[in-house]
Amino acid sequence: MKLILCFGMIAMLSACAGGDRGLRDLRSNGGGPDEFRVLPMQPLTLPTDITNLPTPTPGGANLTDPRPNADAVAVLGGNPNALTPNGIPAGDGALVTAAGRNGVDPAIRQTLATEDAALRNRQTRFGFFRGRDRYFGAYSRQALDAYAELQRFRDAGIATPTAPPQ
């Protein structure tokens, strides 16, 4: 009887193992609807001048499409038209110029994605010994110590804001 109970407990524990879901894989594998993607539509309105209707643009925005970000900006008193990308804003021109002063790699996103995939691949070998969430362990050597950086800036004479105690 004890042998059967022992095998039963081992079977129950092995059923809990599941598969390795990778670093912070929060996606649901279910086929159900995603309740966070359901947005209410804007009410339909009849234009005042039916003879002067705008030309439809394939792939363009519809007047009844939901715009939650623009609605939130408008409610908070901002300009919702500022959310549409029209190039670099005037206030950010100096920042973009300073960031690109040494040249810009046009394939930086692909390079970083390849390097990140290689790092995660190296970290996942024998990862089942360390537990399921290996995000912080994989990137621990690339993380900054906020308090050491704060002290480094203070030692250099740069004015820094206060920080919470360690």
Side-chain angles (χ1 to χ4, degrees), residues 93-127:
L95 175 66
V96 171
T97 303
R101 67 187 176 275
N102 295 328
V104 179
D105 182 9
I108 188 66
R109 290 182 189 268
Q110 291 83 8
T111 304
L112 290 176
T114 305
E115 290 174 358
D116 186 52
L119 172 74
R120 285 186 285 124
N121 189 25
R122 284 193 309 270
Q123 293 295 327
T124 56
R125 292 189 186 115
F126 305 109

Side-chain angles (χ1 to χ4, degrees), residues 32-57:
D34 187 0
E35 63 272 9
F36 294 107
R37 290 188 168 260
V38 177
L39 295 174
M41 300 298 279
Q42 300 284 341
L44 292 175
T45 57
L46 188 62
T48 56
D49 185 15
I50 296 181
T51 59
N52 238 355
L53 293 176
T55 318
T57 55

